[in-house]
Amino acid sequence: MIDSIPIAVEFTRIQSKTHRDSPVASGGLELLFSNQRKHQVALPASNPEGTPSTVGYLVKWLCENLIKDPRKEMFVLDDSVRPGILVLINDADWELEGEEKYELQANDEIVFVSTLHGG
Amino acid sequence: MPHYPCQTCHISRAQILRPSTGTRLCAPCFTLAFETETAATITSSSLFHPGERIAIGASGGKDSTVLASVLQTLNTRYNWGLELVLLSIDEGIAGYRDHSLEAVKRNAEVLGLPLKILGYEELYGWSMDAVVAQVGRKGNCTYCGVFRRQALDRGAAVLGVRHVVTGHNADDVAETVVMNLLRGDLARLGRGTSLVTGTGGAEGGFASVKRSKPLMWAYEKEIVMYAHHKRLDYFSTECIYSPEAFRGSARTLIKNLERIRPESILDVVRSGIDMARLVPGAGGEGGSGSLRVEAIPRDAEDDTGGGCSGDNGEDAGGEMARVEETLRLNERAEEEGTETEIRLPAKAVNGQRHDRDGLHTGPPAAALPATVNGQNHDRHTHIPDIAVVPIRTKQEKKSGRKTAGDNLPPRQRLGQCERCGYLSSQAVCKACMLLEGLNKARPRTGIEVGGAGG
């Protein structure tokens, strides 16, 4: 545990609804993560290259460890968060914090907000 | 990493990077700026008048939830004296609207606004689930679009409201612009990019209900941020029947552009407006009094809202295209004063249509086949296809009625739909046309439900 940092991850405003048939036609991020909105994760404090863990690494780590669903592309496209998903780092736009390069601190709160269509 | 200070109050930590300006703001300064800009959109265009009753098309999703919240806030802040009501449509898709409608109900309570929910089932006798069971998944979006448009109009009429606002945002409009460009459908640019549409209809009818999108200059990102920081209660959902293929691609393009260059979204919207002005006969930026109320273009324009891709005809295949063509012909005949009623044929193939016996005896036969070939009345037919100017051909084919409407004085005779009794400028309203097709096919299923026309 000494090598990991606790991070709160939340997937918010993500739909969950009936999957009538094709699961591809609908679905949201929450569904990819066991239908659970809030997750408390213990992220390795550094990535395999030995550098401090960043949000970019968290995203990769979530894909490898938390996603229970094969449709990872709903969350990640081309190795980065899918365009249209907003990321908040401690309630601030991640664009203000260096985006994927932000180095995570213990007890940081990371929120992934879907901007799914349908207003 | 050091935090940026808010560029407005210079005190708090910045939480939002505004896509339009690149400004860094704290949450309170951002929400105030967002509200002020929406107010500017409204006042600079004199969108509302004091005491006006406004129905907010409320789906329970982020856009309409933010719209309702902002309008309520502004109405109080600036003493506009607006009478706001929420209007929700339940398409009758099991599991689709349930959560959204619950969100709308909670919002109505929190905002203290009256709420009217209208269901397809009660309006038409057909829920969308039943429609899909009947017609299959191909083309059902057209039904949904026509039904929803009318449902909003009927709801507005029930509420005594002449103005419905919807939550379309800048991303929606940009997507629509791109889609229209990709389809070569420049004629629709004007409607999709207009702040106000649907004016100029006959007085007193549901056709005169005005539509506007006060958030059309607001980034989707900012709408989501606004909802997040104001802790608004909404529910996102996408239609399970809608494949979203084409709009989805346009959306991905827009979102990718935004990541590289955020200003792109508003630039696409502005370009759409500018290009719409260049389209011959399209009337340029909307809201002009000469615009006729056109249900089909309005449906298309509206397809960005309510979680429905509803790309009329795009994914509908030939049959729905024919149904829509029939609807268009009916309206055009109406403008011509021929008063033909076209039955919705079970098979509207090859332009074979049957005039209704007895009731109407106008001379429609000459006009109708001409329009089938995409030629316009203004040309008095008989112009060979080779002679037409390409851009106009497309445009007239797509929106011939609009062109006709610009040239001819509107000859709308307001009456009632003879099926459902609702105010309509045609003998049979569009929804009833579709319903006729549905109900004709219904016996095959062995299910009998009476009074589908409402």
Side-chain angles (χ1 to χ4, degrees), chain A residues 96-116:
Chain A
L96 294 169
E97 307 285 339
E99 301 191 34
E100 280 149 340
K101 295 187 188 70
Y102 173 84
E103 288 180 14
L104 286 159
Q105 314 294 317
N107 301 314
D108 274 349
E109 291 178 7
I110 312 297
V111 183
F112 297 92
V113 191
S114 165
T115 63
L116 258 178

Side-chain angles (χ1 to χ4, degrees), chain A residues 10 12-22 24-27 30 37 74 77-78 80-103 105 111 113-119, chain B residues 1 3-4 13-17 24 59-65 93-96 99 129 137 172 175 220-221 224-225 228-229 231-242 244 247 251-252 255-256 259 304-307:
Chain A
E10 185 178 350
T12 186
R13 303 305 181 192
I14 310 302
Q15 78 212 32
S16 75
K17 62 177 167 49
T18 324
H19 283 264
R20 178 84 47 105
D21 56 29
S22 163
V24 182
S26 60
E30 189 172 61
R37 258 179 74 159
M74 299 198 57
L77 263 188
D78 300 329
S80 64
V81 176
R82 188 189 177 97
I85 295 175
L86 302 180
V87 186
L88 298 174
I89 299 172
N90 298 324
D91 221 23
D93 193 340
W94 78 331
E95 293 177 67
L96 294 169
E97 307 285 339
E99 301 191 34
E100 280 149 340
K101 295 187 188 70
Y102 173 84
E103 288 180 14
Q105 314 294 317
V111 183
V113 191
S114 165
T115 63
L116 258 178
H117 215 43
Chain B
M1 190 162 195
H3 293 309
Y4 295 102
R13 160 193 171 222
Q15 288 169 278
I16 287 110
L17 179 67
R24 297 182 285 266
S59 67
K62 61 181 167 26
D63 299 304
S64 57
T65 301
I93 304 173
Y96 169 51
H99 297 290
D129 282 341
R137 299 175 70 129
D172 294 332
E175 279 166 29
E220 187 163 67
K221 174 186 170 181
V224 173
M225 288 293 192
H228 178 79
H229 289 293
R231 303 279 180 255
L232 296 182
D233 180 5
Y234 67 93
F235 190 86
S236 292
T237 185
E238 279 186 341
C239 179
I240 54 174
Y241 292 134
S242 161
E244 289 260 41
R247 178 170 289 279
R251 179 175 169 77
T252 304
K255 289 281 179 266
N256 285 332
R259 185 163 281 191
T304 54

Side-chain angles (χ1 to χ4, degrees), chain B residues 363-381:
Chain B
L368 290 175
T371 56
V372 170
N373 297 330
Q375 294 175 0
N376 192 277
H377 293 296
D378 306 30
R379 296 154 182 255
H380 301 293
T381 70

